[in-house]
Amino acid sequence: MSFIGRIARSFADDARNVAGAPRRFAEDAAYTVQGLRDGTVSPKKVAWTIIATLGGILVVGAVLFPLYWIFTQSLSSSGGSIYAAGGFTWLPPKPTLQNYIWVVGDLIVKGYRISVSVPLTGLEVFFETPRIELLDASEHGVTNPSDFKKYMANSMFVAIPTVILAMCVIIPASYALSRRKFILRRKVLFMYVLLTQVGGGLGIAALVALYAIFVQVGIDNNKLALAVYYAGTAVPFNTWLLKTYMDGIPVSYEEAAIVDGAPPWRVAIEVILPLAKAGLGTVFIFTFLTGWTEFLVAQTLLSTDNYTLPVGLYTLIGEYTTPWARFSAFALMFAAPIMLLYLFTQRYIEGGLSFSGMEG
């Protein structure tokens, strides 16, 4: 099975594990109750487990409470203020999905007319696909929906090339720095550490110069050029992170593959990369976040038509008033892909950070 196939199978296993969690919880609870009845399970141990679980739920609830607050605001029908004048309520008085409909707008699959020429007859047959309306915002009282879909398309056009370009540099550089000995290797490692520590600060300090260079070259409003910049800023830290993870893979695996006659490229692709999938998942999500969430450079370099989601969210903030209900719905829709991506890659992120010496 190919490397991509292994990743797809891992994602499928994760999805099955998530779907089977309620069943496993019910089985564990039934086993505990039966153990308490038979005397094979200590009531004290069960009590401490319940207390620890409740404590964990309280901590998680406190951490997630601001997110829940934003969610309740996104269901508000007034949307004038983010503060509750009459005290906190678990749900707004008249919850509505109108704010989310305003964010999404119309969802319409346009119909297309397709012509097919019949050979030897000179006839031309026309086929027309139907027009499908999944959501008509006007039917829900929304007459001027947001540009969320345009901003999301711009963000995808920036984030995906950022990941592709960065990974094309990060993977071979990490493998070379971890497994190969070459001239000036230590100097290159020190340079990576330097860029990792001060790269962000230099990027902000040099923003004016960066803008001047982009304008001079004529790529100041180019999403692909922005992706190249993001990929460049993501390379130092993520290369060091993946290199540190690869250092923990035993050399004996490579030696065994070489003895079996595998060329160097097969050793890297079929031995090192599958064993480094936790580190790769961590680097992937960090690189994607670089292109998906960056605001300052995108606002400086892009025009209104090419705004990404963070800049589009910022445009909702008015000089005097802000539609907080719509702002909250827009923010949650903006964060949804990140939450879903982390949900399916959290195991690899946790493994990649812990094995790279960054746990804490």
Side-chain angles (χ1 to χ4, degrees), residues 240-246 279 282 349-359:
W240 185 264
L241 180 64
L242 186 58
K243 178 261 178 191
T244 308
Y245 186 87
M246 288 183 177
T282 306
I349 294 175
E350 293 168 359
L353 291 179
S354 61
F355 279 99
S356 65
M358 293 186 61
E359 60 180 347

Side-chain angles (χ1 to χ4, degrees), residues 201-236:
L202 288 178
I204 296 176
L207 184 59
V208 176
L210 176 70
Y211 178 76
I213 293 173
F214 274 44
V215 170
Q216 190 70 24
V217 179
I219 56 175
D220 55 302
N221 191 29
N222 190 300
K223 290 176 286 189
L224 185 58
L226 185 64
V228 173
Y229 170 77
Y230 287 159
T233 58
V235 164

Side-chain angles (χ1 to χ4, degrees), residues 78-357:
S78 59
S81 173
I82 199 171
Y83 305 104
F88 172 74
T89 56
W90 289 104
L91 283 176
K94 297 180 180 179
T96 177
L97 295 177
Q98 191 177 49
N99 299 313
Y100 289 95
I101 296 175
W102 174 82
V103 173
V104 176
D106 297 328
L107 295 178
I108 300 175
V109 180
K110 297 181 179 179
Y112 294 94
R113 186 178 177 87
I114 304 172
S115 62
V116 179
S117 299
V118 181
L120 304 178
T121 62
L123 298 177
E124 192 170 7
V125 182
F126 294 93
F127 299 93
E128 189 169 348
T129 60
R131 183 176 182 268
I132 304 175
E133 291 188 5
L134 302 176
L135 176 64
D136 188 354
S138 61
E139 295 180 356
H140 300 272
V142 178
T143 57
N144 189 21
S146 71
D147 293 325
F148 178 84
K149 290 180 289 187
K150 181 181 72 174
Y151 296 147
M152 185 172 184
N154 293 337
S155 292
M156 294 298 294
F157 196 84
V158 171
I160 293 177
T162 297
V163 172
I164 295 175
L165 293 173
M167 296 300 279
C168 287
V169 177
I170 291 171
I171 293 176
S174 302
Y175 178 77
L177 292 172
S178 175
R179 287 298 199 258
R180 294 290 181 263
K181 306 295 182 181
F182 52 88
I183 300 176
L184 299 179
R185 177 176 176 272
R186 291 179 58 85
K187 299 296 188 294
V188 174
L189 288 174
F190 289 146
M191 182 187 69
Y192 268 95
V193 173
L194 178 64
L195 293 177
T196 298
Q197 299 300 321
V198 302
L202 288 178
I204 296 176
L207 184 59
V208 176
L210 176 70
Y211 178 76
I213 293 173
F214 274 44
V215 170
Q216 190 70 24
V217 179
I219 56 175
D220 55 302
N221 191 29
N222 190 300
K223 290 176 286 189
L224 185 58
L226 185 64
V228 173
Y229 170 77
Y230 287 159
T233 58
V235 164
F237 171 78
N238 291 286
T239 300
W240 185 264
L241 180 64
L242 186 58
K243 178 261 178 191
T244 308
Y245 186 87
M246 288 183 177
D247 289 343
I249 300 176
V251 182
S252 58
Y253 292 123
E254 289 182 273
E255 295 174 347
I258 295 174
V259 170
D260 290 338
W265 65 271
R266 290 195 63 182
V267 173
I269 295 177
E270 298 184 7
V271 177
I272 299 299
L273 292 186
L275 293 174
K277 61 182 180 180
L280 288 172
T282 306
V283 168
F284 176 86
I285 187 69
F286 284 173
T287 307
F288 180 82
L289 290 177
T290 300
W292 188 262
T293 62
E294 202 282 329
F295 165 76
L296 186 60
V297 179
Q299 186 196 30
T300 304
L301 297 180
L302 298 179
S303 64
T304 305
D305 292 337
N306 289 329
Y307 276 171
T308 55
L309 279 172
V311 186
L313 179 63
Y314 176 75
T315 59
L316 297 180
I317 301 177
E319 184 177 358
Y320 301 105
T321 61
T322 300
W324 288 113
R326 292 182 173 183
F327 183 92
S328 301
F330 195 110
L332 290 177
M333 293 292 290
F334 165 45
I338 301 174
M339 292 187 290
L340 291 175
L341 186 62
Y342 181 79
L343 176 65
F344 286 100
T345 58
Q346 59 178 337
R347 183 177 65 182
Y348 307 107
I349 294 175
E350 293 168 359
L353 291 179
S354 61
F355 279 99
S356 65

